[in-house]
């Protein structure tokens, strides 16, 4: 496969952009080689600058649940751009998206739109600290919640891929307020609460982790978090930036039937444009400025292009959309598993609705960061490059989730399984 133009663009990019990319995982550091520069996309396909076409399982890292260039989104954006790109003043569209989110996400009464998942989790943490009057927060190893200072401690994906346990520039004085615990470990978090419970403002968790690969929390673990936070007067934050509107009609909290105090959203609710949101009960959310004393703001928050894009996607998702996504993903995962087993490649594939991850390992259950990080990254790397050569684009990191869109049909899924059958014997 010829990728001459991508190679040359990377050389040019390196001269003016740190590492040549605007977000670290894009640089292919986790898998080696040169990142592919893309030019256009449609449905499940992306075309690079050299004219190669790929079936896409990254979906812009999650937002594109309807694939690339979803017609309702494009039409909405075009129409809105003809009216205005933004006013920095309220619009009816913002009420509409808030109403949709409140309707669908069981724990949300009020919601504030922001511009990224990072902003959403940063705001949720500030809100929890302000609301409880406490400083400490708890996160879990391998969960990624964006790159704000308090949360860049033992985070997944980019940080895992690059092998950075932490980041310089995060003040120790701040990091000391972030307590780490082990994902899916009930004993550890119970112990932590018995030691520090009265100082803990919030526990933040990805209910289905997607940043150490796809690792669903066990129901009992989330139930324990709910009980402990209630008992000790802390807030429970579900970071649903990745899972929100992705894994079910009522998001992950609907699947588990557990209501957090605060929920962060992003990705799908922006239809592919930059977005984030934080929502929760009236009591907590009304502490945000201007109704309350906890400050938060944003020049472009709730901008009409993002909001119209988000509305177009949310409105088009029905409970049936998720049934269909689940069926397709299960079919693909069965095919990939068979392809691996036929070639004697040990693999465990975690899957929830349209989200899945391949872990190359002998372990038949991957339930936390430790187990994920012990998987065979070399095999993933070989799988990734092999599939790329066959025209299938998976995430350039062993620690990311793959996503299926509603536009991935039988043809694309069969082609992917066929490609895996060719690639597995070689990895
Ligand atoms: N939270 C989770 C669970 C995420 O997966 C991500 C990004 O991948 C974020 C937060 C940060 O979102 P953003 O990249 O939009 O800042």
């Amino acid at each position: 496969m010829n990728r001459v133009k991508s190679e040359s663009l990377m050389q040019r990019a390196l001269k003016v952009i740190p590492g040549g990319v605007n977000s670290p995982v894009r640089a292919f550091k986790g898998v080696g080689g040169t990142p592919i520069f893309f030019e256009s996309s449609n449905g499940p396909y992306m075309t690079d600058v050299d004219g190669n076409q790929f079936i896409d399982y990254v979906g812009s890292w999650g937002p594109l649940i309807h694939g690339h260039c979803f017609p309702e989104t494009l039409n909405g954006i075009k129409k809105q751009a003809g009216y205005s790109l933004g006013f920095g003043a309220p619009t009816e569209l913002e009420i509409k998206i808030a109403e949709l989110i409140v309707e669908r996400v069981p724990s949300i009464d009020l919601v504030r739109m922001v511009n990224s998942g990072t902003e959403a989790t940063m705001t949720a943490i500030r809100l929890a600290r302000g609301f409880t009057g406490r400083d400490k927060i708890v996160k879990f190893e391998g969960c990624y919640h964006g790159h704000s200072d308090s949360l860049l401690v033992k985070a997944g994906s980019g940080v895992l891929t690059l092998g950075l346990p932490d980041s310089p520039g995060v003040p120790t004085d701040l990091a000391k307020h972030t307590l780490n615990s082990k994902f899916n470990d009930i004993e550890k978090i119970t112990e932590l609460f018995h030691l520090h419970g009265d100082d803990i403002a919030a526990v933040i968790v990805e209910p289905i982790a997607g940043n150490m690969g796809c690792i669903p929390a066990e129901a009992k673990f989330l139930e324990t978090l709910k009980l402990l936070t209630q008992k000790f007067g802390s807030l429970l934050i579900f970071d649903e930036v990745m899972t929100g509107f992705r894994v079910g009609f009522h998001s992950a909290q609907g699947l588990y039937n557990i209501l957090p105090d605060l929920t962060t959203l992003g990705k799908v609710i922006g239809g592919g444009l930059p977005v984030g949101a934080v929502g929760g009960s009236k009591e907590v959310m009304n502490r945000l400025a201007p109704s309350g004393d906890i400050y938060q703001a944003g020049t472009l928050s709730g901008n009409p292009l993002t909001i119209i894009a988000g509305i177009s996607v949310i409105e088009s998702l029905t409970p049936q959309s998720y049934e269909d996504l689940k069926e397709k993903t299960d079919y693909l995962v069965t095919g990939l598993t068979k392809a691996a087993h036929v070639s004697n490649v040990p693999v465990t594939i975690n899957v929830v609705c349209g989200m899945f991850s391949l872990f190359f390992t002998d372990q038949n259950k991957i339930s936390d960061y430790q187990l994920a990080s012990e998987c065979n990254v070399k095999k993933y790397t070989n799988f990734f490059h092999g599939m790329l050569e066959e025209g299938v684009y998976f995430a350039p990191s062993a620690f990311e989730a793959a996503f299926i869109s509603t536009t991935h049909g039988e043809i694309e899924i069969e082609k992917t399984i066929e490609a895996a059958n060719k690639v597995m014997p070689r990895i």
Side-chain angles (χ1 to χ4, degrees):
M1 185 180 282
N2 181 350
R3 288 190 223 133
V4 192
K5 283 192 186 163
S6 275
E7 306 265 351
S8 130
L9 285 176
M10 188 58 179
Q11 290 314 311
R12 209 173 121 202
L14 283 166
K15 291 186 184 139
V16 284
I17 303 173
V21 293
N22 280 314
S23 194
V25 184
R26 296 179 199 170
F28 276 32
K29 290 268 189 230
V31 289
T34 306
I36 299 175
F37 283 66
F38 287 97
E39 203 163 63
S40 64
S41 58
N42 195 19
Y45 293 101
M46 303 198 292
T47 305
D48 73 6
V49 288
D50 290 286
N52 305 305
Q53 198 185 53
F54 299 88
I55 301 171
D56 177 28
Y57 288 98
V58 178
S60 192
W61 302 100
L64 303 181
I65 195 161
H66 287 315
H68 293 267
C69 300
F70 179 51
E72 276 88 333
T73 303
L74 289 193
N75 292 337
I77 291 174
K78 279 181 199 157
K79 194 166 158 208
Q80 181 56 43
Y83 292 138
S84 170
L85 296 186
F87 309 96
T91 59
E92 189 177 349
L93 287 174
E94 291 161 88
I95 308 175
K96 182 94 194 269
I97 199 165
E99 286 170 347
L100 283 168
I101 292 172
V102 167
E103 238 173 70
R104 296 273 174 94
V105 185
S107 68
I108 296 186
D109 297 331
L110 295 178
V111 60
R112 166 71 50 89
M113 300 304 296
V114 295
N115 302 291
S116 69
T118 295
E119 248 188 272
T121 54
M122 183 187 75
T123 303
I125 295 296
R126 183 178 306 141
L127 197 47
R129 283 177 166 152
F131 185 80
T132 58
R134 303 171 180 179
D135 287 339
K136 293 211 183 307
I137 56 164
V138 178
K139 76 175 286 292
F140 298 93
E141 274 172 36
C143 283
Y144 176 67
H145 304 290
H147 63 95
S148 71
D149 285 349
S150 288
L151 293 167
L152 208 55
V153 179
K154 300 219 172 167
S157 66
V159 181
L160 263 184
T161 300
L162 296 171
L164 303 173
D166 215 329
S167 170
V170 176
T172 323
D173 272 354
L174 190 62
K176 76 177 185 207
H177 294 302
T178 304
L179 307 174
N180 264 287
S181 199
K182 198 170 159 199
F183 193 71
N184 271 334
D185 189 327
I186 292 176
E187 239 173 73
K188 275 229 155 62
I189 186 66
T190 308
E191 202 180 303
L192 196 69
F193 260 92
H194 283 111
L195 284 173
H196 300 285
D198 293 337
D199 298 324
I200 295 173
V203 173
I204 185 165
V205 66
E206 293 181 71
I208 297 161
N211 289 286
M212 45 181 159
C214 171
I215 303 185
E218 276 149 28
K220 262 245 153 297
F221 175 68
L222 293 183
E223 282 158 18
T224 305
L225 298 186
K226 177 77 189 169
L227 288 174
L228 285 170
T229 47
Q230 265 177 338
K231 181 172 168 196
F232 286 88
S234 316
L235 299 190
L236 178 60
I237 305 170
F238 273 9
D239 181 355
E240 295 225 44
V241 166
M242 194 180 281
T243 55
F245 294 84
R246 159 62 63 180
V247 295
F249 193 65
H250 300 294
S251 300
Q253 55 198 265
L255 293 183
Y256 285 95
N257 203 13
I258 294 176
L259 301 187
D261 299 293
L262 287 171
T263 301
T264 52
L265 298 166
K267 302 198 189 252
V268 171
I269 62 161
L273 295 190
V275 80
V278 55
S281 67
K282 286 197 174 98
E283 191 194 3
V284 181
M285 290 302 294
N286 270 328
R287 285 290 300 275
L288 268 190
S291 42
D293 53 346
I294 300 169
Y295 196 68
Q296 187 279 332
T299 301
L300 293 175
S301 292
N303 87 82
L305 292 188
T306 296
I307 301 304
I308 199 96
I311 291 172
S312 72
V313 171
I314 297 174
E315 276 190 330
S316 65
L317 288 165
T318 61
Q320 189 59 42
S321 317
Y322 297 98
E323 290 298 316
D324 295 347
L325 277 177
K326 182 174 174 336
E327 200 177 306
K328 278 186 213 182
T329 321
D330 288 348
Y331 184 81
L332 172 63
V333 163
T334 306
L336 293 175
T337 309
K338 270 193 199 148
H341 288 171
V342 165
S343 307
N344 284 324
V345 174
V347 74
T348 291
I349 307 186
N350 286 355
V351 53
V352 186
C353 201
M355 208 173 142
F356 65 100
S357 284
L358 292 93
F359 295 97
F360 291 100
T361 174
D362 289 327
Q363 304 281 340
N364 54 21
K365 190 171 175 201
I366 298 297
S367 53
D368 63 37
Y369 165 81
Q370 180 69 29
L371 290 167
S373 58
E374 282 165 11
C375 289
N376 192 325
V377 174
K378 182 89 183 80
K379 276 210 184 330
Y380 182 85
T381 299
N382 294 341
F383 171 77
F384 167 79
H385 285 293
M387 293 300 275
L388 214 52
E389 283 301 310
E390 297 297 327
V392 182
Y393 190 78
F394 274 94
S397 160
F399 304 107
E400 292 286 354
F403 299 103
I404 274 196
S405 78
T406 54
T407 59
H408 285 70
E410 212 179 308
I411 295 177
E412 290 77 26
I413 292 175
E414 290 297 350
K415 268 193 190 161
T416 307
I417 295 172
E418 210 178 292
N421 274 307
K422 285 192 200 156
V423 170
M424 289 291 186
R426 294 190 252 126
I427 70 168

